[in-house]
């Protein structure tokens, strides 16, 4: 059977189909168009176990070619998984799991490369399928710049609307559940790796960024209480056994950038003044992420640290491409 290989892109790496399907565009290109902010908002119900959005007018279609060279043009061809990276990561994982199962009769096991948020989607799919089924469908996974334990840049997106060095209205970003689900799992004020303070209502209420329970949400002033609940649901589901569904794969690779200043602490939260930075790829802190991996992953996975030309462009690096072969 033919070898199959798939790349699961990261935050911002998937494009969106415009009205009528005439063209595709990035989030940042869509923002330049009239009524874009209204179209970019998502709506979810109050029950965090209901993964599908209530309202979402955009369709994910295609990927940013420049961010994924040479994967985009190499032979044999890589399949790119289209998913809406704004939505609940568990929902995207469900869609990936369904795709893997539907395609099972059509070829050999998949070799996956997962960039950034794409790695969290792969892990969500693996949890749904279980280690036996996942290993029957997937041969290997290469995780490239994956924020397994969150990223301060997700916090910056909720606070200021700054995402991948671009500006998005905060009242739009605050309707995207995946951003909440990528909040740091450590105390950004104290540097305590065991405290996920940003997942607590009290942290945001003290900062004046969460409304009282039962009051209407004004996303221009506050984050969304329901979406913070979705982040907690994912955190609870992955507190133990986070990587266990990968145990029966033939091999796992973890590739991280280690040479760029990466935000790690905001001692004056919610202000970004005095942000403490550590080496990483500009989004994922290198040593902290590696040290928090379970011991069996550290022992069995191939972990490579490479000079990075920013997180968003990791997969355009020929060295990273070679490591994923």
């Amino acid at each position: 059977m033919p070898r199959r290989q798939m790349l699961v892109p990261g935050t911002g790496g998937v494009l969106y189909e415009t009205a009528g399907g005439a063209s595709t565009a990035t989030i940042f290109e869509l923002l330049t168009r009239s009524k874009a902010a209204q179209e970019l908002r998502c709506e979810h119900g109050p029950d965090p176990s209901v993964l599908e959005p209530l309202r979402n007018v955009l369709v994910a279609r295609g990927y940013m070619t420049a961010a994924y060279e040479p994967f985009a043009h190499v032979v044999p061809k890589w399949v790119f998984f289209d998913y809406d990276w704004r939505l609940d990561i568990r929902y995207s994982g469900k869609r990936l799991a369904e795709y893997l199962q539907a395609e099972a009769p059509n070829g050999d096991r998949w070799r996956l490369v997962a960039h950034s948020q794409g790695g969290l989607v792969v892990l969500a799919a693996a949890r749904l399928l279980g280690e036996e089924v996942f290993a029957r469908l997937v041969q290997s996974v290469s995780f490239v710049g994956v924020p397994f334990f969150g990223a301060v840049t997700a916090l910056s997106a909720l606070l200021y609307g700054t995402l991948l060095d671009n500006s998005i209205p905060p009242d739009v970003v605050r309707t995207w559940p995946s951003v909440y689900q990528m909040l740091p799992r450590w105390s950004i004020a104290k540097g305590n790796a065991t405290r996920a303070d940003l997942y607590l209502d009290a942290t945001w209420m003290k900062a004046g960024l969460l409304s009282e329970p039962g009051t209407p949400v004004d996303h221009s002033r506050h984050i969304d209480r329901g979406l913070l609940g979705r982040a907690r649901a994912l955190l609870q589901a992955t507190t133990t056994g986070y990587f266990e569904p990968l145990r029966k794969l033939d091999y796992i690779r973890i590739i991280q950038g280690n040479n760029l200043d990466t935000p790690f602490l905001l001692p004056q939260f919610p202000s970004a003044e005095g942000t403490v930075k550590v080496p990483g790829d500009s989004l994922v802190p290198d040593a902290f992420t590696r040290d928090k991996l379970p011991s069996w992953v550290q022992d069995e996975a191939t972990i490579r640290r490479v000079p990075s030309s920013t997180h968003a462009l990791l997969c355009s690096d020929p060295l990273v491409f070679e490591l994923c072969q």
Side-chain angles (χ1 to χ4, degrees):
M1 300 179 79
R3 185 179 76 175
R4 296 189 292 182
Q5 42 200 25
M6 179 194 301
L7 197 151
V8 185
T11 299
V14 179
L15 307 179
Y16 291 91
E17 194 172 81
T18 57
S23 62
T24 53
T26 67
I27 285 288
F28 312 111
E29 290 168 332
L30 291 175
L31 278 169
T32 65
R33 305 175 186 182
S34 62
K35 299 182 180 178
Q38 181 177 346
E39 293 182 346
L40 289 173
R41 292 187 180 92
C42 300
E43 183 180 345
H44 288 76
D47 185 349
S49 68
V50 178
L51 306 183
E52 295 82 358
L54 295 176
R55 176 184 176 275
N56 177 28
V57 301
L58 297 180
V59 176
R61 192 83 70 210
Y63 56 93
M64 290 183 64
T65 304
Y68 295 105
E69 293 285 1
F71 292 93
H73 297 116
V74 73
V75 176
K77 182 180 180 181
W78 285 76
V79 172
F80 282 75
F81 180 66
D82 296 338
Y83 71 98
D84 191 333
W85 52 266
R86 300 170 303 154
L87 304 183
D88 193 311
I89 290 170
R90 298 170 299 165
Y91 176 61
S92 299
K94 176 175 177 287
R95 288 194 54 245
L96 176 58
E98 292 169 346
Y99 180 87
L100 292 172
Q101 288 178 304
E103 289 293 314
N106 300 324
D108 200 356
R109 292 188 298 164
W110 290 95
R111 296 168 60 240
L112 303 182
V113 170
H115 174 227
S116 192
Q117 184 189 150
L120 307 182
V121 172
V122 168
L123 285 170
R127 284 194 300 277
L128 285 172
L129 294 169
E131 64 179 58
E132 295 284 350
V133 175
F134 190 64
R136 191 160 64 242
L137 300 172
V138 174
Q139 178 190 23
S140 66
V141 181
S142 295
F143 294 102
V144 182
V146 175
F148 297 117
F149 309 106
V152 171
T153 49
L155 173 60
S156 298
L158 290 179
L159 291 175
Y160 311 114
T162 303
L163 185 67
L164 302 176
D165 298 326
N166 289 270
S167 294
I168 299 175
D171 63 302
V172 172
V173 178
R174 290 170 180 172
T175 70
W176 299 348
S178 68
V179 178
Y180 294 78
Q181 292 171 325
M182 290 189 287
L183 284 169
R185 297 185 175 203
W186 65 90
S187 173
I188 51 90
K190 303 173 184 177
N192 186 336
T194 65
R195 291 177 58 97
D197 295 345
L198 291 172
Y199 290 76
L200 304 176
D201 287 0
T203 301
W204 294 91
M205 292 191 74
K206 183 178 180 181
L209 290 167
L210 189 67
S211 60
E212 293 293 333
T215 60
V217 179
D218 178 357
H219 289 118
S220 66
R221 299 176 55 222
H222 300 127
I223 67 165
D224 191 296
R225 181 182 297 274
L227 298 188
L228 187 60
R230 287 176 179 269
R232 277 196 295 270
L234 179 60
L235 176 68
Q236 291 166 2
T238 55
T239 298
T240 59
Y242 195 0
F243 296 85
E244 294 306 302
L246 308 178
R247 274 193 178 272
K248 294 194 174 181
L249 297 183
D250 287 2
Y251 57 92
I252 304 167
R253 293 190 182 97
I254 298 175
I255 301 169
Q256 297 181 179
N258 68 345
N259 65 310
L260 298 179
D261 284 345
T262 301
F264 187 66
L265 300 178
L266 269 67
Q268 300 183 56
F269 171 80
S271 169
E273 185 176 346
T275 298
V276 176
K277 298 183 179 182
V278 296
D281 67 8
S282 75
L283 186 146
V284 177
D286 174 40
F288 174 81
T289 300
R290 188 177 67 256
D291 292 345
K292 277 186 69 67
L293 293 170
S295 57
W296 75 265
V297 175
Q298 295 188 42
D299 291 341
E300 298 182 22
T302 300
I303 301 176
R304 292 294 301 271
R305 303 160 65 214
V306 300
S308 169
S309 57
T310 80
H311 174 84
L313 297 177
L314 266 172
C315 284
S316 66
D317 188 327
L319 173 58
V320 170
F321 175 74
E322 290 299 323
L323 290 172
C324 292
Q325 298 307 295

